[in-house]
Amino acid sequence: MSEPRTPAQVLREARQQDSRDKRARVLSVVDQLIADDEPVTFTGVARAANVSHWLVYAEGVREHIEAARRRQERAADNGARASAKEPVGWKLEKQLLREDNRRLREEVERLKGAVRRSLGQQLDQFGAADLGTRVDELTVENQRLQAERDDALSQVKGLAEQLSEVQDDLVGARESLRRMIRTENAP
């Protein structure tokens, strides 16, 4: 049985998963743009993947986009020569395959979303039980600390009363000492 994860670990893992999902979305968009024979640009990829411009320039993603752009340039050069030789039926077949790919990508995204929601619900349930236990622990600790505070306050009150008595005794002793000194010094 594995140890329970801390909220910080859960948050870190969620952020890492979110980062992986965004990067996968970017790569998927790049592949889709290439398949659709659309121009691959950093801004276009960021917009289509719904991610920040920073991410498309990040290491590992930027190289993929640049490679896709180079492939497109080479394909455009080769495509200009090959398009004259390409049979008409192939264009229709490519269009059908693109539509199937788009539909399948949408289905994958929908299923990923369902899995994320399900895991989120499980995490919420797991977290709620842990939070309830933690609240109970903190309540017990709070009660113990309040009892200690009350004991300390009563000790302070007792010590304050003792101090007052000692101060009264001290004042009385000083007065008595002054009278004795006056009596001895009197002519």
Side-chain angles (χ1 to χ4, degrees):
M1 187 170 182
S2 64
E3 289 186 35
R5 299 179 302 170
T6 65
Q9 290 171 325
V10 171
L11 181 60
R12 182 176 41 256
E13 290 170 8
R15 289 182 65 195
Q16 289 171 345
Q17 182 61 43
D18 185 49
S19 177
R20 285 190 296 268
D21 291 344
K22 285 180 181 179
R23 287 174 181 264
R25 232 178 24 237
V26 167
L27 300 180
S28 175
V29 164
V30 170
D31 293 342
Q32 184 64 42
L33 289 173
I34 290 172
D36 292 345
D37 204 24
E38 295 289 330
V40 176
T41 64
F42 287 96
T43 301
V45 169
R47 187 176 299 127
N50 195 25
V51 297
S52 68
H53 283 90
W54 172 88
L55 180 61
V56 296
Y57 288 102
E59 186 177 332
V61 177
R62 178 186 66 242
E63 292 83 359
H64 190 76
I65 293 172
E66 289 172 344
R69 292 180 69 167
R70 286 190 298 272
R71 281 195 310 265
Q72 266 191 337
E73 289 171 5
R74 285 192 301 268
D77 293 341
N78 294 338
R81 287 175 270 176
S83 65
K85 302 174 191 173
E86 190 174 274
V88 175
W90 285 13
K91 289 182 180 179
L92 178 61
E93 185 68 25
K94 284 193 327 190
Q95 181 62 32
L96 291 173
L97 288 173
R98 285 183 188 134
E99 290 174 13
D100 283 346
N101 281 343
R102 181 191 50 76
R103 183 181 47 77
L104 290 172
R105 282 190 179 97
E106 288 172 358
E107 179 70 10
V108 165
E109 286 303 315
R110 186 185 64 75
L111 291 173
K112 281 182 179 178
V115 167
R116 274 190 219 109
R117 284 189 299 276
S118 175
L119 288 174
Q121 289 171 349
Q122 291 175 8
L123 183 61
D124 288 343
Q125 291 171 355
F126 178 73
D130 286 345
L131 289 177
T133 303
R134 184 66 178 144
V135 166
D136 291 342
E137 290 171 356
L138 290 174
T139 301
V140 168
E141 181 68 12
N142 187 32
Q143 290 170 348
R144 184 186 64 77
L145 290 172
Q146 284 177 349
E148 285 181 17
R149 182 204 60 199
D150 292 343
D151 289 344
L153 287 175
S154 68
Q155 287 178 358
V156 166
K157 185 178 178 182
L159 290 172
E161 289 173 0
Q162 285 179 357
L163 179 61
S164 177
E165 289 176 14
V166 168
Q167 285 176 336
D168 289 345
D169 290 346
L170 182 60
V171 167
R174 283 182 181 158
E175 273 303 311
S176 176
L177 185 59
R178 284 186 193 130
R179 274 188 245 133
M180 284 176 45
I181 292 174
R182 279 188 223 134
T183 306
E184 287 181 7
N185 291 338

